[in-house]
Amino acid sequence: MNPSNSKTDKLAIDGGTPVRSQPLPSNFPGANVMGEEEARHAEKVIMARSPFRFYGSDPQYAVQQLETMISKHVDVSYVLGVTSATAGIIVALKALGIGYGDKVIVPSITFIASATAVICCGAVPVFAEVDESLSLDPSDLSRVMDPNVKAIIAVPLLGTPVDMDSIMAFAESNGIAVIEDVAQSCGIMYKGRHQGTIGDIGVFSFQMNKILTAGEGGAVLTNNPKLFERAVRYHDQGMFRPAMKSHFELDIESDEIGAFAGENYRMSEITGAVLIEQWQKLDTLLSNTRRHGKRIKQELRANLPNLKLRDSCDEEGELGSHIAMILPSPERAKQFTQTLQAENIQCMILYQGLPVYRFPSIYYQRTAEKGFNPFDYPFDKPVKYEAGMCPRSESLIARTVFVPISASLKDSDVEDIINGITKVYRGLGWN
Ligand SMILES: *Cc1c(COP(=O)(O)O)cnc(C)c1O
């Protein structure tokens, strides 16, 4: 390619020839590489007629295998398969004993579940700013800290790590817990360690939009045996079954002493079987997105010195699953998105350009409960949400354009993305 030629190219939105004649392949990294291997594993479970993880006529222990596999791969003591990351966050909060009368710090830019899971546990989210990496800004934590705050949820947003050293230091000095919501960024590293294993508890998602998938699914990770016991109990009706004890060689109190009212967030064997195969594809998937992501960033920096890419606290740990460009205004972000889409390069403004507290269920503090509302707790500092509450986050999310980088892109697709962004940025006269 010769980027200097693209300068004179007429934009597709003005009737020029688009950089690509066809849209890029859809960005479902795990689903795109599903095949016979996943089918064979699922078939084994089905033909054994044993789709439940704890017993059956010929149990295959797929979920157990998956848990062992993840625990070795990311170097964490305990892993629990669950039905989703939302379930995983709830299980994590319950394991930490967080509920009515507690507050949890949540980044103002994240998927709605990071905040609503807190509310569903009877606690209340308080929102901190993100910085230009679009992750929780450690320097804003003290602004929202008070004696009711019991935990921080850190979210590596679409493939860029969170500054965990600063967050852990703040949490330790204030005696509060850290949950890593790694739903979007399975496999992401921070300073050589897997995110999800740095805080007290981590959570992965295996829903269709995430890196690996079985349609639905999630995992809870921790190095703390007590938290693991409580997580297992909450996800399985308060029980800690003998199979779980031997699986992780834990000495657990009898149900007579340890049981409490739980729910059912157990992972099915069919999900587990599919994920065993998916997990084995993780490294290949990520080496592709990392290679593509690095190349795109490098060339964009060379071609477009004025284009602001999101910051990163650890470029080596990034997934490369998304390129994020921070434009000077929401109007420009919209114009950029429409112009780039006309070139057949997929891109988006995330979450409708809104911070998570602007979504109605959170903003209006509505729950499904009758006669009980977590927000009614007599906090010294009552919790209210208002527009303008986190001005930097509101500004950033409305003017950031994300371009998904699928693992299944060919080198020529990657060139199209570089050419498309370069053409549009120059074509709009912004360079
Ligand atoms: C998708 C997502 C979740 C929820 O994951 P599910 O498995 O669909 O429940 C939670 N947090 C973040 C940041 C997410 O992106």
Side-chain angles (χ1 to χ4, degrees), residues 34-325:
M34 270 188 171
E36 275 175 29
E37 304 88 346
E38 281 83 356
R40 258 201 308 276
H41 270 265
E43 187 183 18
K44 236 169 62 182
V45 167
I46 292 164
M47 296 318 283
R49 297 183 171 80
S50 301
F52 182 59
R53 72 168 294 178
F54 289 122
Y55 49 77
S57 50
D58 179 18
Q60 303 295 302
Y61 302 110
V63 177
Q64 186 167 318
Q65 274 181 59
L66 174 73
E67 289 166 346
T68 306
M69 196 179 248
I70 297 176
S71 120
K72 287 196 176 128
H73 190 134
V74 305
D75 192 20
V76 73
S77 306
Y78 309 104
V79 176
L80 178 66
V82 290
T83 47
S84 70
T86 306
I89 301 168
I90 291 173
V91 163
L93 290 161
K94 297 287 184 182
L96 288 163
I98 289 171
Y100 191 55
D102 296 330
K103 297 179 183 176
V104 177
I105 299 175
V106 174
S108 45
I109 306 303
T110 181
F111 181 62
I112 191 167
S114 318
T116 46
V118 172
I119 301 170
C120 289
C121 285
V124 163
V126 289
F127 296 97
E129 292 271 26
V130 300
D131 57 25
E132 293 199 341
S133 73
L134 300 166
S135 307
L136 204 50
D137 177 359
S139 73
D140 197 42
L141 294 172
S142 54
R143 180 181 64 85
V144 289
M145 186 65 204
D146 71 33
N148 294 109
V149 172
K150 298 295 160 54
I152 300 169
I153 298 185
V155 183
L157 193 83
L158 297 180
T160 295
V162 183
D163 177 1
M164 291 305 290
D165 282 350
S166 309
I167 288 172
M168 293 309 290
F170 181 90
E172 273 156 32
S173 69
N174 286 279
I176 62 174
V178 175
I179 296 172
E180 289 171 276
D181 173 0
V182 196
Q184 303 175 347
S185 304
C186 186
I188 196 167
M189 314 281 287
Y190 171 77
K191 294 192 178 173
R193 294 164 73 191
H194 277 271
Q195 280 221 245
T197 69
I198 302 169
D200 297 271
I201 308 196
V203 177
F204 290 152
S205 172
F206 304 120
Q207 187 267 340
M208 174 89 167
N209 275 101
K210 318 296 174 161
I211 304 291
L212 302 179
T213 193
E216 300 280 8
V220 175
L221 296 72
T222 184
N223 283 307
N224 181 323
K226 200 64 209 165
L227 291 179
F228 183 66
E229 176 186 347
R230 286 180 58 91
V232 169
R233 287 190 183 282
Y234 195 79
H235 110 297
D236 188 17
Q237 316 287 14
M239 289 185 280
F240 204 106
R241 301 182 198 235
M244 258 347 248
K245 281 184 208 177
S246 51
H247 174 21
F248 281 106
E249 290 178 12
L250 273 161
D251 191 17
I252 297 291
E253 306 210 277
S254 71
D255 279 359
E256 205 60 54
I257 297 167
F260 52 75
E263 297 193 55
N264 167 18
Y265 292 133
R266 295 180 304 253
M267 180 181 277
S268 141
E269 283 284 282
I270 297 175
T271 299
V274 168
L275 288 172
I276 287 173
E277 249 338 292
Q278 286 272 299
W279 191 270
Q280 291 177 69
K281 294 173 177 172
L282 180 65
D283 282 345
T284 310
L285 278 179
L286 294 185
S287 71
N288 286 339
T289 55
R290 285 194 161 109
R291 184 165 50 82
H292 295 330
K294 261 187 196 158
R295 177 173 168 209
I296 294 170
K297 278 171 76 166
Q298 201 173 9
E299 299 211 18
L300 290 180
R301 280 177 179 143
N303 293 351
L304 306 170
N306 291 331
L307 175 66
K308 164 79 183 150
L309 300 176
R310 80 194 286 191
D311 291 343
S312 177
C313 63
D314 180 2
E315 292 220 350
E316 283 309 301
E318 286 177 18
L319 296 186
S321 60
H322 291 79
I323 298 292
M325 297 168 286

Side-chain angles (χ1 to χ4, degrees), residues 306 327-328 331-333 335-336 424-431:
N306 291 331
L327 295 164
E331 293 69 33
R332 282 206 174 187
Q335 192 183 7
F336 191 82
V424 165
Y425 199 77
R426 286 183 177 158
L428 290 170
W430 296 348
N431 215 45

Side-chain angles (χ1 to χ4, degrees), residues 414-431:
V414 171
E415 267 157 42
D416 289 343
I417 291 177
I418 297 164
N419 288 341
I421 294 173
T422 305
K423 176 185 171 185
V424 165
Y425 199 77
R426 286 183 177 158
L428 290 170
W430 296 348
N431 215 45

